[in-house]
C-alpha cells in the first residue's frame, strides 16, 4: 500500500534547503530539479515549491508524486508554470494529461525519481497498466508550449 504524503517538519525543512540550493543554481535534486511558481488559486499570491521536471516521449512533464497538492490545484485554475533554477527561467502553458497519457510518464518518473516510489502502489518497472491505475491519484502535466 502506498504511503500517504504528509507535509511535516522534516519535509518542510527539506523543501527549504532544496529550494535555496535550486534558487542558487545548484542542482540539488539532480538535473530534473526546478522551483515551480504558480499563482495561488484563492489568494492570487505566488506559491513556489521544488519539483522535478522529467523528459519522456519528446516532451517535458510535471508529475505530482504526492497526489493532488496545492500546486496541482493552482495549475488547474491557471495552467501556467513558471520554472526556475539559478539564472534559468522558463514560463510554460501546461496541459493536464489523461490517464492513458499519464501512465507511461508515471512509470518513467518513478524510475527516474526513486525517492517518490513509496507513494505509488505500482513498483518501479511494473507494467504500464499498473501505473494507469495510479493516474487518478498522481496528476501529470505536460509543458505544452512557452507562455506568451
Amino acid at each position: 500500500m502506498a504511503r500517504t504524503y504528509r507535509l511535516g517538519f522534516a519535509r518542510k525543512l527539506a523543501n527549504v534547503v532544496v529550494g535555496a540550493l535550486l534558487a542558487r543554481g545548484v542542482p540539488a535534486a539532480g538535473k530534473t530539479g526546478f522551483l515551480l511558481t504558480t499563482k495561488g488559486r484563492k489568494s492570487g499570491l505566488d506559491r513556489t515549491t521544488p519539483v522535478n521536471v522529467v523528459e519522456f516521449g519528446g516532451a517535458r512533464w510535471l508529475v505530482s508524486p504526492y497526489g493532488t497538492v496545492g500546486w496541482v490545484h493552482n495549475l488547474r485554475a491557471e495552467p501556467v508554470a513558471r520554472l526556475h533554477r539559478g539564472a534559468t527561467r522558463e514560463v510554460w502553458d501546461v496541459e493536464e494529461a489523461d490517464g492513458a497519457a499519464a501512465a507511461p510518464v508515471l512509470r518513467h518518473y518513478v524510475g527516474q525519481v526513486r525517492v517518490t516510489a513509496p507513494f505509488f502502489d505500482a513498483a518501479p518497472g511494473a507494467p504500464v497498466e499498473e501505473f494507469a491505475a495510479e493516474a487518478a491519484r498522481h496528476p501529470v502535466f505536460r509543458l505544452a508550449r512557452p507562455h506568451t
Side-chain angles (χ1 to χ4, degrees):
M1 178 121 164
R3 285 180 41 197
T4 301
Y5 177 75
R6 299 201 195 301
L7 185 60
F9 176 77
R11 178 79 56 185
K12 286 180 184 177
L13 181 61
N15 283 348
V16 168
V17 170
V18 169
L21 292 171
L22 289 170
R24 287 168 181 71
V26 178
K31 293 181 181 181
T32 63
F34 282 87
L35 289 173
L36 167 67
T37 301
T38 58
K39 185 177 181 181
R41 67 195 176 282
K42 293 180 182 176
S43 69
L45 300 175
D46 285 349
R47 303 294 182 197
T48 301
T49 190
V51 296
N52 288 290
V53 177
V54 295
E55 293 187 25
F56 180 77
R60 294 172 67 205
W61 304 85
L62 283 169
V63 173
S64 182
Y66 308 122
T68 307
V69 293
W71 66 262
V72 170
H73 291 291
N74 293 344
L75 281 181
R76 285 175 174 164
E78 184 175 316
V80 176
R82 291 178 282 155
L83 299 168
H84 72 276
R85 178 177 57 219
T88 302
R89 303 224 184 279
E90 306 172 10
V91 183
W92 291 87
D93 291 330
V94 299
E95 296 173 349
E96 189 165 2
D98 64 15
V105 176
L106 289 170
R107 183 176 189 261
H108 177 76
Y109 184 90
V110 171
Q112 293 283 306
V113 189
R114 288 210 175 284
V115 69
T116 63
F119 298 94
F120 290 80
D121 285 327
V128 170
E129 294 77 24
E130 289 186 35
F131 285 96
E134 301 268 359
R137 292 186 349 198
H138 301 283
V140 175
F141 295 86
R142 182 173 64 89
L143 302 183
R145 67 199 140 281
H147 181 70
T148 54

